[in-house]
Amino acid sequence: MISTVPADPIYFDHHATTPCDPRVVEKMLPYFTEHFGNAASLTHVQGRKAANAVEDARIAMARFFAVQPNEIYFTAGATESNNIALNLVQPGEHLITTAVEHRSILAPAWRLESQGVELTVLRPDSEGFIDAGRLRDALRPNTRLVSIEAANGEIGTLQPLPELAAVCRERKVLFHSDITQAAGKVPLDFASLDLASFSGHKFYGPKGIGGLFVRRGIKVPPVIVGGGQEKNVRSGTVNVPGVVGMAAALQLRALEMGDEAPRLTALRNELRDRLVSGIEGVSVNGPRGLRLPGNLNVSFERVEADSLIVAMRRFSLSSGSACSSGQHGPSPVLTAIGVPEALAMGSIRIGLGKSNRGEEVAMFVDDAKRVVARLREISAA
Ligand code: PMP
């Protein structure tokens, strides 16, 4: 019998998540079965094997980031890491963040504000950049922490972290960065950071595992209390296979990122140019340069993004952050950079990754031409 099951659509949503690399899965497998010990059970071999694997992973990750192993704490992901980092700020102190941050920064920031923390949310320019001068002007004598992402997951903007961090260091204010979208994709200078959050599944590692870099000497109060694991920064039995997998994924990125970034940049530029020149009424959101290699965000005039995404059935696409999908209304990131509502509602985010090839870009442009023309015809009728 001939199978009628259609192939999965081509994945163009690598900002939402990435597939776990099979080489990573292979490294993880023994830690579910053979080496199943609890990394806190140091009284027996099974536990010590698990603890050794966790410490080896910590060393590997620290080497990749050029930090000390005891500055890396394992968590369940960037959401948790962001919450822990912001938890440093006490009522009566001042927190600065930006309007283009992920919800896992903005939601805890708003909650802290309701608990008596002073909050400033900086506005970006029209490409999503945060200006160091504006940051300097926003600092107050009681500013405790500034949190600015390394890269935006919708429009790809790469923030000038060393410059922003220098402003903070000058005034002895802690600087945290949510590096979730940038880690393993572009080089990062940890020397300028005091704290940084990341998630394994954004760089071809497993989901549900992440980490927080905390520069030595900085004390972070835990969000979750319990058994005191991870030096009390994050209680709970350590996810050993996850930690092993995340470190293996990052080690692969160290080998592959250098070649992949220019390849994805070229692929993205080709896609952008062919969409803009081949379809009337297409505009690009976010910066032209200084942007995540695989990221593209485009608005189609007189088209609803939701209809476009459904009609482009050969591709997996999204209109914005997966964590905000299901919410109606324009993307807060696009609103913050001044994209008018009607255009923002016709915007899609494309995240190219390891598996994507030139033929897929050509296919996408062909499909988009047809689909956009049809949707415009329907809406004009
Ligand atoms: N920060 C950014 C910039 C992200 O893109 C994401 C995931 N979309 C997160 C934080 C949260 O990561 P996780 O869902 O793995 O906790």
Side-chain angles (χ1 to χ4, degrees), residues 60-81:
M61 298 204 56
R63 190 169 298 147
F64 179 84
F65 290 141
V67 300
Q68 296 302 314
N70 60 7
E71 295 175 315
I72 300 280
Y73 298 89
F74 294 119
T75 67
T79 298
E80 195 176 81
S81 302

mmCIF file with all atom_site columns, all heavy atoms in Angstrom, residues 60-81:
data_model
loop_
_atom_site.group_PDB
_atom_site.id
_atom_site.type_symbol
_atom_site.label_atom_id
_atom_site.label_alt_id
_atom_site.label_comp_id
_atom_site.label_asym_id
_atom_site.label_entity_id
_atom_site.label_seq_id
_atom_site.pdbx_PDB_ins_code
_atom_site.Cartn_x
_atom_site.Cartn_y
_atom_site.Cartn_z
_atom_site.occupancy
_atom_site.B_iso_or_equiv
_atom_site.pdbx_formal_charge
_atom_site.auth_seq_id
_atom_site.auth_comp_id
_atom_site.auth_asym_id
_atom_site.auth_atom_id
_atom_site.pdbx_PDB_model_num
ATOM 1   N N   . ALA A 1 60 ? 33.543 21.547 30.679 1.00 0.00 ? 60 ALA A N   1
ATOM 2   C CA  . ALA A 1 60 ? 33.468 21.724 29.215 1.00 0.00 ? 60 ALA A CA  1
ATOM 3   C C   . ALA A 1 60 ? 32.723 23.013 28.871 1.00 0.00 ? 60 ALA A C   1
ATOM 4   O O   . ALA A 1 60 ? 33.128 23.771 27.980 1.00 0.00 ? 60 ALA A O   1
ATOM 5   C CB  . ALA A 1 60 ? 32.779 20.522 28.581 1.00 0.00 ? 60 ALA A CB  1
ATOM 6   N N   . MET A 1 61 ? 31.641 23.268 29.582 1.00 0.00 ? 61 MET A N   1
ATOM 7   C CA  . MET A 1 61 ? 30.852 24.464 29.292 1.00 0.00 ? 61 MET A CA  1
ATOM 8   C C   . MET A 1 61 ? 31.626 25.720 29.667 1.00 0.00 ? 61 MET A C   1
ATOM 9   O O   . MET A 1 61 ? 31.615 26.719 28.951 1.00 0.00 ? 61 MET A O   1
ATOM 10  C CB  . MET A 1 61 ? 29.521 24.427 30.042 1.00 0.00 ? 61 MET A CB  1
ATOM 11  C CG  . MET A 1 61 ? 28.710 23.233 29.593 1.00 0.00 ? 61 MET A CG  1
ATOM 12  S SD  . MET A 1 61 ? 26.960 23.394 29.841 1.00 0.00 ? 61 MET A SD  1
ATOM 13  C CE  . MET A 1 61 ? 26.565 24.853 28.976 1.00 0.00 ? 61 MET A CE  1
ATOM 14  N N   . ALA A 1 62 ? 32.299 25.643 30.807 1.00 0.00 ? 62 ALA A N   1
ATOM 15  C CA  . ALA A 1 62 ? 33.084 26.805 31.261 1.00 0.00 ? 62 ALA A CA  1
ATOM 16  C C   . ALA A 1 62 ? 34.193 27.109 30.256 1.00 0.00 ? 62 ALA A C   1
ATOM 17  O O   . ALA A 1 62 ? 34.470 28.273 29.959 1.00 0.00 ? 62 ALA A O   1
ATOM 18  C CB  . ALA A 1 62 ? 33.677 26.523 32.639 1.00 0.00 ? 62 ALA A CB  1
ATOM 19  N N   . ARG A 1 63 ? 34.787 26.046 29.696 1.00 0.00 ? 63 ARG A N   1
ATOM 20  C CA  . ARG A 1 63 ? 35.858 26.256 28.716 1.00 0.00 ? 63 ARG A CA  1
ATOM 21  C C   . ARG A 1 63 ? 35.287 26.970 27.479 1.00 0.00 ? 63 ARG A C   1
ATOM 22  O O   . ARG A 1 63 ? 35.881 27.905 26.966 1.00 0.00 ? 63 ARG A O   1
ATOM 23  C CB  . ARG A 1 63 ? 36.470 24.905 28.340 1.00 0.00 ? 63 ARG A CB  1
ATOM 24  C CG  . ARG A 1 63 ? 37.732 25.027 27.528 1.00 0.00 ? 63 ARG A CG  1
ATOM 25  C CD  . ARG A 1 63 ? 38.456 23.714 27.395 1.00 0.00 ? 63 ARG A CD  1
ATOM 26  N NE  . ARG A 1 63 ? 38.905 23.180 28.672 1.00 0.00 ? 63 ARG A NE  1
ATOM 27  C CZ  . ARG A 1 63 ? 38.980 21.883 28.958 1.00 0.00 ? 63 ARG A CZ  1
ATOM 28  N NH1 . ARG A 1 63 ? 38.625 20.988 28.062 1.00 0.00 ? 63 ARG A NH1 1
ATOM 29  N NH2 . ARG A 1 63 ? 39.405 21.483 30.128 1.00 0.00 ? 63 ARG A NH2 1
ATOM 30  N N   . PHE A 1 64 ? 34.139 26.523 27.031 1.00 0.00 ? 64 PHE A N   1
ATOM 31  C CA  . PHE A 1 64 ? 33.522 27.137 25.840 1.00 0.00 ? 64 PHE A CA  1
ATOM 32  C C   . PHE A 1 64 ? 33.245 28.626 26.084 1.00 0.00 ? 64 PHE A C   1
ATOM 33  O O   . PHE A 1 64 ? 33.480 29.461 25.223 1.00 0.00 ? 64 PHE A O   1
ATOM 34  C CB  . PHE A 1 64 ? 32.222 26.405 25.483 1.00 0.00 ? 64 PHE A CB  1
ATOM 35  C CG  . PHE A 1 64 ? 31.514 26.977 24.284 1.00 0.00 ? 64 PHE A CG  1
ATOM 36  C CD1 . PHE A 1 64 ? 31.880 26.589 22.996 1.00 0.00 ? 64 PHE A CD1 1
ATOM 37  C CD2 . PHE A 1 64 ? 30.503 27.915 24.428 1.00 0.00 ? 64 PHE A CD2 1
ATOM 38  C CE1 . PHE A 1 64 ? 31.240 27.129 21.884 1.00 0.00 ? 64 PHE A CE1 1
ATOM 39  C CE2 . PHE A 1 64 ? 29.865 28.459 23.330 1.00 0.00 ? 64 PHE A CE2 1
ATOM 40  C CZ  . PHE A 1 64 ? 30.234 28.055 22.048 1.00 0.00 ? 64 PHE A CZ  1
ATOM 41  N N   . PHE A 1 65 ? 32.741 28.947 27.276 1.00 0.00 ? 65 PHE A N   1
ATOM 42  C CA  . PHE A 1 65 ? 32.391 30.345 27.578 1.00 0.00 ? 65 PHE A CA  1
ATOM 43  C C   . PHE A 1 65 ? 33.596 31.151 28.080 1.00 0.00 ? 65 PHE A C   1
ATOM 44  O O   . PHE A 1 65 ? 33.462 32.359 28.318 1.00 0.00 ? 65 PHE A O   1
ATOM 45  C CB  . PHE A 1 65 ? 31.290 30.399 28.642 1.00 0.00 ? 65 PHE A CB  1
ATOM 46  C CG  . PHE A 1 65 ? 29.932 29.929 28.159 1.00 0.00 ? 65 PHE A CG  1
ATOM 47  C CD1 . PHE A 1 65 ? 29.111 29.164 28.988 1.00 0.00 ? 65 PHE A CD1 1
ATOM 48  C CD2 . PHE A 1 65 ? 29.444 30.280 26.915 1.00 0.00 ? 65 PHE A CD2 1
ATOM 49  C CE1 . PHE A 1 65 ? 27.842 28.749 28.568 1.00 0.00 ? 65 PHE A CE1 1
ATOM 50  C CE2 . PHE A 1 65 ? 28.188 29.878 26.480 1.00 0.00 ? 65 PHE A CE2 1
ATOM 51  C CZ  . PHE A 1 65 ? 27.393 29.101 27.308 1.00 0.00 ? 65 PHE A CZ  1
ATOM 52  N N   . ALA A 1 66 ? 34.720 30.472 28.296 1.00 0.00 ? 66 ALA A N   1
ATOM 53  C CA  . ALA A 1 66 ? 35.921 31.112 28.862 1.00 0.00 ? 66 ALA A CA  1
ATOM 54  C C   . ALA A 1 66 ? 35.633 31.726 30.244 1.00 0.00 ? 66 ALA A C   1
ATOM 55  O O   . ALA A 1 66 ? 35.938 32.894 30.508 1.00 0.00 ? 66 ALA A O   1
ATOM 56  C CB  . ALA A 1 66 ? 36.509 32.150 27.908 1.00 0.00 ? 66 ALA A CB  1
ATOM 57  N N   . VAL A 1 67 ? 35.004 30.891 31.111 1.00 0.00 ? 67 VAL A N   1
ATOM 58  C CA  . VAL A 1 67 ? 34.758 31.294 32.502 1.00 0.00 ? 67 VAL A CA  1
ATOM 59  C C   . VAL A 1 67 ? 35.241 30.151 33.401 1.00 0.00 ? 67 VAL A C   1
ATOM 60  O O   . VAL A 1 67 ? 35.745 29.138 32.909 1.00 0.00 ? 67 VAL A O   1
ATOM 61  C CB  . VAL A 1 67 ? 33.251 31.599 32.756 1.00 0.00 ? 67 VAL A CB  1
ATOM 62  C CG1 . VAL A 1 67 ? 32.784 32.724 31.844 1.00 0.00 ? 67 VAL A CG1 1
ATOM 63  C CG2 . VAL A 1 67 ? 32.378 30.349 32.546 1.00 0.00 ? 67 VAL A CG2 1
ATOM 64  N N   . GLN A 1 68 ? 35.071 30.286 34.705 1.00 0.00 ? 68 GLN A N   1
ATOM 65  C CA  . GLN A 1 68 ? 35.484 29.236 35.641 1.00 0.00 ? 68 GLN A CA  1
ATOM 66  C C   . GLN A 1 68 ? 34.339 28.231 35.839 1.00 0.00 ? 68 GLN A C   1
ATOM 67  O O   . GLN A 1 68 ? 33.171 28.639 35.891 1.00 0.00 ? 68 GLN A O   1
ATOM 68  C CB  . GLN A 1 68 ? 35.834 29.849 37.007 1.00 0.00 ? 68 GLN A CB  1
ATOM 69  C CG  . GLN A 1 68 ? 37.018 30.793 36.987 1.00 0.00 ? 68 GLN A CG  1
ATOM 70  C CD  . GLN A 1 68 ? 38.266 30.105 36.466 1.00 0.00 ? 68 GLN A CD  1
ATOM 71  O OE1 . GLN A 1 68 ? 38.585 28.987 36.875 1.00 0.00 ? 68 GLN A OE1 1
ATOM 72  N NE2 . GLN A 1 68 ? 38.950 30.765 35.520 1.00 0.00 ? 68 GLN A NE2 1
ATOM 73  N N   . PRO A 1 69 ? 34.659 26.936 35.974 1.00 0.00 ? 69 PRO A N   1
ATOM 74  C CA  . PRO A 1 69 ? 33.590 25.945 36.177 1.00 0.00 ? 69 PRO A CA  1
ATOM 75  C C   . PRO A 1 69 ? 32.676 26.291 37.355 1.00 0.00 ? 69 PRO A C   1
ATOM 76  O O   . PRO A 1 69 ? 31.454 26.084 37.278 1.00 0.00 ? 69 PRO A O   1
ATOM 77  C CB  . PRO A 1 69 ? 34.353 24.644 36.440 1.00 0.00 ? 69 PRO A CB  1
ATOM 78  C CG  . PRO A 1 69 ? 35.666 24.830 35.748 1.00 0.00 ? 69 PRO A CG  1
ATOM 79  C CD  . PRO A 1 69 ? 35.994 26.301 35.853 1.00 0.00 ? 69 PRO A CD  1
ATOM 80  N N   . ASN A 1 70 ? 33.262 26.832 38.450 1.00 0.00 ? 70 ASN A N   1
ATOM 81  C CA  . ASN A 1 70 ? 32.393 27.116 39.610 1.00 0.00 ? 70 ASN A CA  1
ATOM 82  C C   . ASN A 1 70 ? 31.544 28.380 39.424 1.00 0.00 ? 70 ASN A C   1
ATOM 83  O O   . ASN A 1 70 ? 30.854 28.811 40.339 1.00 0.00 ? 70 ASN A O   1
ATOM 84  C CB  . ASN A 1 70 ? 33.212 27.182 40.904 1.00 0.00 ? 70 ASN A CB  1
ATOM 85  C CG  . ASN A 1 70 ? 34.263 28.272 40.862 1.00 0.00 ? 70 ASN A CG  1
ATOM 86  O OD1 . ASN A 1 70 ? 34.304 29.078 39.921 1.00 0.00 ? 70 ASN A OD1 1
ATOM 87  N ND2 . ASN A 1 70 ? 35.125 28.317 41.870 1.00 0.00 ? 70 ASN A ND2 1
ATOM 88  N N   . GLU A 1 71 ? 31.577 28.931 38.210 1.00 0.00 ? 71 GLU A N   1
ATOM 89  C CA  . GLU A 1 71 ? 30.696 30.065 37.899 1.00 0.00 ? 71 GLU A CA  1
ATOM 90  C C   . GLU A 1 71 ? 29.486 29.626 37.067 1.00 0.00 ? 71 GLU A C   1
ATOM 91  O O   . GLU A 1 71 ? 28.663 30.459 36.682 1.00 0.00 ? 71 GLU A O   1
ATOM 92  C CB  . GLU A 1 71 ? 31.492 31.142 37.130 1.00 0.00 ? 71 GLU A CB  1
ATOM 93  C CG  . GLU A 1 71 ? 32.607 31.759 37.994 1.00 0.00 ? 71 GLU A CG  1
ATOM 94  C CD  . GLU A 1 71 ? 33.473 32.740 37.231 1.00 0.00 ? 71 GLU A CD  1
ATOM 95  O OE1 . GLU A 1 71 ? 33.873 32.445 36.094 1.00 0.00 ? 71 GLU A OE1 1
ATOM 96  O OE2 . GLU A 1 71 ? 33.779 33.817 37.783 1.00 0.00 ? 71 GLU A OE2 1
ATOM 97  N N   . ILE A 1 72 ? 29.397 28.302 36.795 1.00 0.00 ? 72 ILE A N   1
ATOM 98  C CA  . ILE A 1 72 ? 28.270 27.770 36.005 1.00 0.00 ? 72 ILE A CA  1
ATOM 99  C C   . ILE A 1 72 ? 27.343 26.985 36.932 1.00 0.00 ? 72 ILE A C   1
ATOM 100 O O   . ILE A 1 72 ? 27.790 26.077 37.641 1.00 0.00 ? 72 ILE A O   1
ATOM 101 C CB  . ILE A 1 72 ? 28.781 26.804 34.900 1.00 0.00 ? 72 ILE A CB  1
ATOM 102 C CG1 . ILE A 1 72 ? 29.728 27.495 33.939 1.00 0.00 ? 72 ILE A CG1 1
ATOM 103 C CG2 . ILE A 1 72 ? 27.624 26.112 34.184 1.00 0.00 ? 72 ILE A CG2 1
ATOM 104 C CD1 . ILE A 1 72 ? 29.086 28.324 32.872 1.00 0.00 ? 72 ILE A CD1 1
ATOM 105 N N   . TYR A 1 73 ? 26.055 27.327 36.914 1.00 0.00 ? 73 TYR A N   1
ATOM 106 C CA  . TYR A 1 73 ? 25.046 26.606 37.698 1.00 0.00 ? 73 TYR A CA  1
ATOM 107 C C   . TYR A 1 73 ? 24.038 26.006 36.723 1.00 0.00 ? 73 TYR A C   1
ATOM 108 O O   . TYR A 1 73 ? 23.600 26.702 35.798 1.00 0.00 ? 73 TYR A O   1
ATOM 109 C CB  . TYR A 1 73 ? 24.332 27.569 38.668 1.00 0.00 ? 73 TYR A CB  1
ATOM 110 C CG  . TYR A 1 73 ? 25.286 28.168 39.669 1.00 0.00 ? 73 TYR A CG  1
ATOM 111 C CD1 . TYR A 1 73 ? 25.968 29.345 39.376 1.00 0.00 ? 73 TYR A CD1 1
ATOM 112 C CD2 . TYR A 1 73 ? 25.532 27.550 40.886 1.00 0.00 ? 73 TYR A CD2 1
ATOM 113 C CE1 . TYR A 1 73 ? 26.883 29.884 40.276 1.00 0.00 ? 73 TYR A CE1 1
ATOM 114 C CE2 . TYR A 1 73 ? 26.431 28.075 41.794 1.00 0.00 ? 73 TYR A CE2 1
ATOM 115 C CZ  . TYR A 1 73 ? 27.104 29.251 41.485 1.00 0.00 ? 73 TYR A CZ  1
ATOM 116 O OH  . TYR A 1 73 ? 27.995 29.771 42.376 1.00 0.00 ? 73 TYR A OH  1
ATOM 117 N N   . PHE A 1 74 ? 23.674 24.740 36.944 1.00 0.00 ? 74 PHE A N   1
ATOM 118 C CA  . PHE A 1 74 ? 22.699 24.111 36.050 1.00 0.00 ? 74 PHE A CA  1
ATOM 119 C C   . PHE A 1 74 ? 21.278 24.369 36.559 1.00 0.00 ? 74 PHE A C   1
ATOM 120 O O   . PHE A 1 74 ? 21.009 24.300 37.770 1.00 0.00 ? 74 PHE A O   1
ATOM 121 C CB  . PHE A 1 74 ? 22.980 22.614 35.926 1.00 0.00 ? 74 PHE A CB  1
ATOM 122 C CG  . PHE A 1 74 ? 24.300 22.343 35.242 1.00 0.00 ? 74 PHE A CG  1
ATOM 123 C CD1 . PHE A 1 74 ? 25.322 21.662 35.885 1.00 0.00 ? 74 PHE A CD1 1
ATOM 124 C CD2 . PHE A 1 74 ? 24.527 22.810 33.950 1.00 0.00 ? 74 PHE A CD2 1
ATOM 125 C CE1 . PHE A 1 74 ? 26.540 21.430 35.255 1.00 0.00 ? 74 PHE A CE1 1
ATOM 126 C CE2 . PHE A 1 74 ? 25.748 22.591 33.302 1.00 0.00 ? 74 PHE A CE2 1
ATOM 127 C CZ  . PHE A 1 74 ? 26.755 21.905 33.958 1.00 0.00 ? 74 PHE A CZ  1
ATOM 128 N N   . THR A 1 75 ? 20.400 24.647 35.612 1.00 0.00 ? 75 THR A N   1
ATOM 129 C CA  . THR A 1 75 ? 19.000 24.927 35.925 1.00 0.00 ? 75 THR A CA  1
ATOM 130 C C   . THR A 1 75 ? 18.134 24.151 34.926 1.00 0.00 ? 75 THR A C   1
ATOM 131 O O   . THR A 1 75 ? 18.666 23.443 34.077 1.00 0.00 ? 75 THR A O   1
ATOM 132 C CB  . THR A 1 75 ? 18.682 26.431 35.763 1.00 0.00 ? 75 THR A CB  1
ATOM 133 O OG1 . THR A 1 75 ? 18.782 26.763 34.360 1.00 0.00 ? 75 THR A OG1 1
ATOM 134 C CG2 . THR A 1 75 ? 19.647 27.308 36.543 1.00 0.00 ? 75 THR A CG2 1
ATOM 135 N N   . ALA A 1 76 ? 16.818 24.379 34.990 1.00 0.00 ? 76 ALA A N   1
ATOM 136 C CA  . ALA A 1 76 ? 15.925 23.688 34.051 1.00 0.00 ? 76 ALA A CA  1
ATOM 137 C C   . ALA A 1 76 ? 15.776 24.455 32.742 1.00 0.00 ? 76 ALA A C   1
ATOM 138 O O   . ALA A 1 76 ? 15.009 24.054 31.878 1.00 0.00 ? 76 ALA A O   1
ATOM 139 C CB  . ALA A 1 76 ? 14.567 23.488 34.692 1.00 0.00 ? 76 ALA A CB  1
ATOM 140 N N   . GLY A 1 77 ? 16.492 25.552 32.582 1.00 0.00 ? 77 GLY A N   1
ATOM 141 C CA  . GLY A 1 77 ? 16.378 26.297 31.327 1.00 0.00 ? 77 GLY A CA  1
ATOM 142 C C   . GLY A 1 77 ? 16.515 27.790 31.565 1.00 0.00 ? 77 GLY A C   1
ATOM 143 O O   . GLY A 1 77 ? 16.656 28.254 32.708 1.00 0.00 ? 77 GLY A O   1
ATOM 144 N N   . ALA A 1 78 ? 16.460 28.528 30.477 1.00 0.00 ? 78 ALA A N   1
ATOM 145 C CA  . ALA A 1 78 ? 16.694 29.972 30.574 1.00 0.00 ? 78 ALA A CA  1
ATOM 146 C C   . ALA A 1 78 ? 15.586 30.687 31.354 1.00 0.00 ? 78 ALA A C   1
ATOM 147 O O   . ALA A 1 78 ? 15.848 31.697 32.013 1.00 0.00 ? 78 ALA A O   1
ATOM 148 C CB  . ALA A 1 78 ? 16.827 30.572 29.186 1.00 0.00 ? 78 ALA A CB  1
ATOM 149 N N   . THR A 1 79 ? 14.375 30.173 31.308 1.00 0.00 ? 79 THR A N   1
ATOM 150 C CA  . THR A 1 79 ? 13.297 30.818 32.068 1.00 0.00 ? 79 THR A CA  1
ATOM 151 C C   . THR A 1 79 ? 13.664 30.835 33.548 1.00 0.00 ? 79 THR A C   1
ATOM 152 O O   . THR A 1 79 ? 13.579 31.871 34.228 1.00 0.00 ? 79 THR A O   1
ATOM 153 C CB  . THR A 1 79 ? 11.963 30.067 31.864 1.00 0.00 ? 79 THR A CB  1
ATOM 154 O OG1 . THR A 1 79 ? 11.632 30.133 30.478 1.00 0.00 ? 79 THR A OG1 1
ATOM 155 C CG2 . THR A 1 79 ? 10.840 30.662 32.693 1.00 0.00 ? 79 THR A CG2 1
ATOM 156 N N   . GLU A 1 80 ? 14.090 29.671 34.026 1.00 0.00 ? 80 GLU A N   1
ATOM 157 C CA  . GLU A 1 80 ? 14.459 29.577 35.439 1.00 0.00 ? 80 GLU A CA  1
ATOM 158 C C   . GLU A 1 80 ? 15.695 30.438 35.728 1.00 0.00 ? 80 GLU A C   1
ATOM 159 O O   . GLU A 1 80 ? 15.743 31.160 36.730 1.00 0.00 ? 80 GLU A O   1
ATOM 160 C CB  . GLU A 1 80 ? 14.734 28.121 35.787 1.00 0.00 ? 80 GLU A CB  1
ATOM 161 C CG  . GLU A 1 80 ? 14.771 27.856 37.256 1.00 0.00 ? 80 GLU A CG  1
ATOM 162 C CD  . GLU A 1 80 ? 14.962 26.369 37.524 1.00 0.00 ? 80 GLU A CD  1
ATOM 163 O OE1 . GLU A 1 80 ? 16.106 25.898 37.451 1.00 0.00 ? 80 GLU A OE1 1
ATOM 164 O OE2 . GLU A 1 80 ? 13.961 25.692 37.791 1.00 0.00 ? 80 GLU A OE2 1
ATOM 165 N N   . SER A 1 81 ? 16.682 30.380 34.842 1.00 0.00 ? 81 SER A N   1
ATOM 166 C CA  . SER A 1 81 ? 17.901 31.171 35.045 1.00 0.00 ? 81 SER A CA  1
ATOM 167 C C   . SER A 1 81 ? 17.576 32.662 35.098 1.00 0.00 ? 81 SER A C   1
ATOM 168 O O   . SER A 1 81 ? 18.122 33.399 35.928 1.00 0.00 ? 81 SER A O   1
ATOM 169 C CB  . SER A 1 81 ? 18.901 30.905 33.911 1.00 0.00 ? 81 SER A CB  1
ATOM 170 O OG  . SER A 1 81 ? 19.215 29.537 33.851 1.00 0.00 ? 81 SER A OG  1
#
